[in-house]
Amino acid sequence: MCWTKRSNLTSQLTGLKGSAANALMPDTIVHLQRSSGVHASMGQGCFGKGVLHSIRQVVIMLWLNDVYTKIYSVRCKTRGKYRNTRCCSLSLFRSMGRVLTEILIWFKWLLLTRRQGSLVRCCFIHCAVLFPAQTSAGPAQLSPSLAGLSLQSQTPEALRVVNLLQERNLLPPGPISPPTPCLPQDLQKINCHPEVFRSTLTSIPQTQSLLNKAKLPLGLLLHPFKDLTQLPVVTSSTIVRCRSCRTYINPFVSFLDQRRWKCNLCYRVNDVPEEFMYNPVSRSYGEPHKRPEVQNATIEFIAPSEYMLRPPQPAVYLFVLDVSHNAVETGYLDVVCQSLLENINSLPGDSRTKIGFITFDSTIHFYNLQEGLSQPQMLIVSDIEGKRRPQMVQDLLKSLPHMFGKTMETQSALGPALQAAFKLLSPTGGRVSVFQTQLPNLGVGSLKSREDPNQRASAKDIQHLSPATDFYKKLALDCSGQQVAVDLFLLSSQYCDLASLGCISRYSAGSVYYYPSYHQQHNPAQVECFQKDLKRYLTRKIGFEAVMRIRCTKGLSIHTFHGNFFVRSTDLLSLPNVNPDAGFAVQMSIEENLVDMQVVSFQAALLYTSSKGERRIRVHTLCLPVVNSLSDIFAGADVQAITGLLASMAVDRSVTASLSDARDAMTNASIDSLTSYRTSVLTIQQPGLLAPACLRLFPLYILALLKQKAFRTGTSTKLDDRVFAMCQLKYQPLAYVMLMIHPALYRVDDLTDEGALNISERTIPQPRVQQLSVEKLSREGAFLMDAGSVIYLWIGRNCNPNFLTQVLGVPSYPAVPQNMTMLPELDTAESQRTRAFIGWLREQRPFFPILHVVRDESPLKASFMQNMIEDRTESALSYYEFLLHIQQQVSK
C-alpha cells in the first residue's frame, strides 16, 4: 500500500508548477533549473536539452524518494511497525544509481571529446551544481538521501584551503611549475611554453570589475629571444596575417573552411592565400590547418623584402674602454683584451662585420687600423667627428694593455666618449660596449657623488634612486633612433652613480653588468665571474634593429611595459639590439567586457636582423580561457609571475614616489588579495590566515622582496648595489629573478643518486629544497644556497668529516680555506655528485654565479644569513610575524 501511495505522491508533486514546486524542492534542484535556463545556450551546446532534463528528473526523483521515506517512517511508527526505511527504498536507489552511472559516463565522454573551452567549463559548472565541492556545500547542506549518495567532485588542488599560520612546510621539494591553463588538451599541448610567455592569471576575468574584485595584477612576462633547442623556421614569400589587426596566423585561429580563417584577436574573416594551401612539411596540398604556422605557438619567419625599411645592417661592434689610472689598477683591461683575442672569431656576424675601439681618460683615443700599416696608430682627438675602419684588431688587443700601464691620468670623460661612439655608429647602427671603473668627472655627463654612507641603513626613504642628469637618457634615445644599443660594464669599488649611468643602457635596449670591488689580484672570484660573463656576452646570439609588438584580443589593452627599451607607440617597443638573456613584463587591463568570449589570445612578434643579415620575425602566441567567477580566477593565479610583475612595478614606484611607498604597495598587494579570497571565495569562515594553495607562497615571496637588496631598509646597502638589484628585477627573465628574490637552499653533505636526473650521461642529484631559516641548518651538515648571481656553500662547524675530505679535500673544519671559491676535482663519488649538482645549477642561467665556501668565521657569513628570509632581523619581521601582521589586516 505504501508503494502505491508513493506513485500517487510522485505524480502529484511532479505535476506541480511554478513557485509551488520551487517551494517544495531542495535548493540544489531549483538552482539546477535556474542555471539551465540562464545558461541555456551553454547547456544545449554541452549536453543538449534531453540530457539536462534527465539530470533534473533524477535529482527530483531522489528528493521525492527522501520525502516519501520520511512520510513512510512516520506511518510505520504510528502503527508500531517501525522498519528500516533504507531497505524499503533499496530498489529505487539501485535504479537511481544505474541512471547516475550513465550520466557520469556521459560527463566523461563529453570532457574527452569536446574541443571548445566553453563546453568543458559548462560540464564542470553543471557537475558542480549536482555534486557540489566540499568548500561550497558539504553533506550537511544536502538532504539525507543525497548526502548518503554524495558524489561530490574534489576541490581543485589550486583552491585547497591552506591555513598559513599552521602549515609551515609550504615549499615543494623541487622547482615550482607554473599553473596549466584550463584548456582542452589539444590546445594546451600547442600553447606557448611558460618559459617564453606566461600570464600572471591563467584564467582571464570577464570584466575589469571582476579583476578589481580579485585584487590580483593582470600582466604578461616574456622571454622573447630565449635560446631554444627547437625552433620551427619558415621561409615563404607570403606571411599570412589578419588584414585588419595584422595578427600572424597561429594555432588558435579557426578555419571556417579550407579557404577562410577567422582571426582569434579581432575575429575578422580572412582568405587563405593559394600558397598557404601547400604544406611544406608533409608536401601535401589542401590542408592549411596542418602547416607549421598553425601547429606551433612559437615560430620564426624569414621575412621577405617588404619587412625591410633599408638593407639589413651589418654586425658592428664598438668597444669603449676606460684607460684611466684607476682602470689600469683594477687589471680589467688585460681580461677584456685576452677574452676578445680568444673569442674574436666567435663574434656573431658575416663578412660585413666591423669592429672598432675607443679608449678614454681625460681625452678620447681613436685607432687607425687600416690595412697597410705596420702597427695600429692611436689618434688623440678633441673634436670628435672622425671615423676609422677597424682592421688589425689582434695587434691592437695585444698591445693595448701595455699602452697605458704607467698612466697617472685620473679623470674620466665618459660623456664625450659616448658621444663619439654615437657619431661613429649612427650611419649603420650596432652595439657599443662600455667599460667604466669610476665616476665620470670631466666634460658633458660628469657627475658628483650623491651617496652618504652614514644614511645607508638609517634612512627610511632612500634618496637618489633617480638620475642626477638627463644627459644619459637623452643620448640613449638618440642612439635608439639610429639603431645603436649601449651595454655598460661597471667595475668599481667606488660609488659610480649607476642610477644616472644606467639610463644609457635602459633606454637603448642595452644591458648593465656590475662588478663591485673588482680587482684582478684582490678579488679573483669577481675576475672569474667577469671572464665567464664576457665570454657569454661576446658569443651569444644577437638581433639588430629590432622592434617588438604585443597584440591581444579585442577588449584587452596594454598600459605599462617593463624592461630595457624605448616605447615607440602604445604597443611597439624599439630594440636596437635584442639578446637571448633579456626579459620583459607588460601590465594589462580589461577595457571591454569579455562576456561573449570563451578564450583570449596574446601575441608577441619580434622583428629583427640576424647577425648574418637576414630579416626575421619570431612570433609567440598564448591562449587563455575566460572565466566569470572569482574562484576560477584564484585557481589560475601564477604566484611566481605575480611576484615578478609586482617587483617591476615596485621598482618604478621606488623611483617615481619613494621606497616606503613601494614597500607598502607590495605588502598591501598580499593583504588585498587574501582579503578578497576570504570574503568573496570562501564559503565557510575559519580562524587563521587562509589562502588558496596556489597562493600559499605569496606572503613569503612578498616578505622576500621586502628583504631583497633592492627594497630592504635597516641594513647597510650601497646605493649602486641597490640600483643594480632594481635593474636586474626589471630586466631579467622571471626564472632568474625568482632566485634573486627567494634563493633555493639544499642540504648537500648527504647527496645520493635517488631521484637523480640523467643528462648527457651525467647523474645530477636532486636534493630537497629547504626553508630559508636557520632552524633548517645543522652544524653537522653542509648546505648550498643558490641565490641567482651567487652560490654559497655553508659548512657546519661539526660537518661530516667524510664530506670535508671527499668533497673539499681538507682533513678537518679548521683547514677549510677562508676564501675558497672552487671545489677541487677529486676522484670520489661525493665530489662528483656535488660538482655535478653545482654545474647543473650554473648551466640553467646565462650568467656565471660565483661559488663562495662559507665558514662561521667567514666575512661572507652575514651575506649568507641575510638570505634567511624566514628569520627575524633587527629591522625586519620574521615570516611568522609577517603572517600575523597580514592576518590582522585581513581580519579588519
Side-chain angles (χ1 to χ4, degrees), residues 841-866:
L841 292 175
R842 282 173 163 164
E843 289 168 3
Q844 295 179 60
R845 67 209 73 181
F847 46 85
F848 183 80
I850 308 170
L851 173 68
H852 291 292
V853 178
V854 180
R855 295 168 41 186
D856 272 351
E857 305 82 7
S858 171
L860 288 171
K861 183 183 177 182
S863 300
F864 174 78
M865 290 300 176
Q866 280 179 351

Side-chain angles (χ1 to χ4, degrees), residues 205-209 554-555 590-597:
Q206 278 189 348
T207 64
Q208 181 66 37
S209 61
K554 184 181 179 183
I590 304 171
E591 286 191 338
E592 301 175 18
N593 291 349
L594 309 173
V595 176
D596 297 328
M597 302 177 191

Side-chain angles (χ1 to χ4, degrees), residues 319 407 776:
F319 297 90
T407 183
K776 297 299 178 181

Side-chain angles (χ1 to χ4, degrees), residues 174-176 640 643-644 701 704-705 708-709 728-729 732-746 769 772 784-792 837 840-847 849 867 869:
I176 299 173
Q640 291 195 332
T643 304
Y701 286 160
L705 274 174
Q708 214 270 341
K709 195 175 293 186
Q728 288 181 300
L729 292 176
Q732 294 277 10
L734 180 63
Y736 315 142
V737 165
M738 287 311 301
L739 281 175
M740 292 174 50
I741 295 173
H742 187 276
L745 182 68
Y746 309 91
V769 176
L772 292 173
L784 190 79
M785 178 186 287
D786 182 2
S789 59
V790 61
I791 295 176
Y792 298 100
F837 181 58
W840 177 74
L841 292 175
R842 282 173 163 164
E843 289 168 3
Q844 295 179 60
R845 67 209 73 181
F847 46 85
N867 287 317
I869 291 160

Side-chain angles (χ1 to χ4, degrees), residues 223-529:
H223 192 175
F225 207 54
K226 175 180 170 63
D227 288 326
L228 300 173
T229 54
Q230 292 183 332
L231 176 64
V233 179
V234 174
T235 303
S236 176
S237 59
T238 302
I239 296 179
V240 180
R241 301 175 67 179
C242 176
R243 287 179 294 166
S244 177
C245 67
R246 305 302 293 158
T247 294
Y248 294 83
I249 197 168
N250 60 80
F252 310 107
V253 304
S254 54
F255 283 88
L256 305 182
D257 51 49
Q258 285 190 347
R259 295 290 180 178
R260 294 180 303 156
W261 63 278
K262 182 187 286 187
C263 176
N264 55 320
L265 267 62
C266 72
Y267 304 112
R268 172 164 182 161
V269 176
N270 298 270
D271 295 329
V272 176
E274 183 66 31
E275 183 181 345
F276 202 75
M277 297 294 291
Y278 176 74
N279 187 347
V281 178
S282 63
R283 298 183 179 180
S284 59
Y285 185 85
E287 295 180 323
H289 62 285
K290 293 186 178 180
R291 278 184 61 101
E293 299 94 320
V294 193
Q295 294 295 318
N296 297 278
T298 290
I299 196 163
E300 187 154 286
F301 301 94
I302 297 179
S305 58
E306 57 260 33
Y307 288 84
M308 306 177 192
L309 295 176
R310 63 174 185 175
Q313 74 169 66
V316 180
Y317 305 105
L318 181 61
F319 297 90
V320 181
L321 305 167
D322 179 1
V323 291
S324 63
H325 177 73
N326 187 69
V328 174
E329 277 293 302
T330 65
Y332 95 91
L333 202 57
D334 296 275
V335 176
V336 171
C337 291
Q338 185 59 40
S339 184
L340 277 168
L341 281 169
E342 293 172 357
N343 299 288
I344 195 74
N345 294 324
S346 300
L347 284 173
D350 55 17
S351 59
R352 304 178 303 153
T353 300
K354 298 181 179 181
I355 302 174
F357 295 88
I358 293 177
T359 58
F360 69 96
D361 40 33
S362 61
T363 54
I364 315 299
H365 319 131
F366 290 87
Y367 296 87
N368 185 354
L369 302 173
Q370 289 182 338
E371 294 181 6
L373 296 174
S374 59
Q375 61 181 12
Q377 292 182 351
M378 183 172 69
L379 307 172
I380 301 176
V381 295
S382 55
D383 182 18
I384 299 144
E385 292 181 354
K387 176 186 171 186
R388 296 291 181 269
R389 293 187 176 183
Q391 304 290 330
M392 304 172 64
V393 173
Q394 295 191 3
D395 290 342
L396 175 63
L397 290 173
K398 292 175 182 177
S399 59
L400 201 55
H402 308 292
M403 290 183 184
F404 304 95
K406 297 182 180 180
T407 183
M408 299 305 294
E409 184 61 70
T410 58
Q411 293 183 310
S412 173
L414 175 63
L418 288 173
Q419 287 180 326
F422 168 63
K423 290 188 177 183
L424 280 169
L425 291 193
S426 288
T428 59
R431 184 179 76 185
V432 178
S433 306
V434 182
F435 297 82
Q436 175 73 5
T437 65
Q438 62 177 321
L439 193 71
N441 55 14
L442 187 66
V444 293
S446 61
L447 300 168
K448 295 182 179 179
S449 178
R450 298 187 291 165
E451 183 181 43
D452 183 355
N454 297 323
Q455 293 185 356
R456 285 177 184 168
S458 59
K460 184 179 179 181
D461 272 328
I462 307 300
Q463 304 297 317
H464 310 308
L465 294 175
S466 56
T469 174
D470 62 358
F471 168 79
Y472 294 98
K473 179 179 179 179
K474 286 183 175 180
L475 182 57
L477 296 180
D478 291 339
C479 288
S480 179
Q482 299 299 318
Q483 303 297 343
V484 175
V486 182
D487 295 327
L488 176 63
F489 291 80
L490 198 57
L491 309 99
S492 176
S493 57
Q494 305 292 326
Y495 171 71
C496 286
D497 198 350
L498 187 55
S500 298
L501 297 183
C503 292
I504 192 66
S505 298
R506 177 180 176 184
Y507 295 102
S508 68
S511 309
V512 174
Y513 296 82
Y514 177 53
Y515 305 91
S517 304
Y518 182 91
H519 196 279
Q520 193 168 13
Q521 293 180 342
H522 302 155
N523 199 339
Q526 281 280 29
V527 174
E528 183 187 12
C529 181

Side-chain angles (χ1 to χ4, degrees), residues 521-563:
Q521 293 180 342
H522 302 155
N523 199 339
Q526 281 280 29
V527 174
E528 183 187 12
C529 181
F530 179 48
Q531 288 173 328
K532 301 281 189 181
D533 287 351
L534 194 55
K535 180 177 181 178
R536 163 73 178 173
Y537 172 78
L538 294 173
T539 59
R540 71 186 179 188
K541 186 175 181 178
I542 185 172
F544 296 99
E545 49 186 350
V547 291
M548 183 168 69
R549 190 183 298 273
I550 301 175
R551 297 178 174 89
C552 49
T553 296
K554 184 181 179 183
L556 296 166
S557 67
I558 299 166
H559 61 82
T560 308
F561 291 97
H562 300 279

Side-chain angles (χ1 to χ4, degrees), residues 2-3 6 65 68-69 72-73 76 81-93:
C2 295
W3 284 105
R6 173 180 297 204
N65 176 73
Y68 183 77
T69 298
Y72 178 72
S73 297
C76 291
K81 298 177 182 178
Y82 185 89
R83 300 177 205 168
N84 188 336
T85 56
R86 286 189 180 274
C87 294
C88 295
S89 56
L90 182 61
S91 61
L92 180 62
F93 269 109

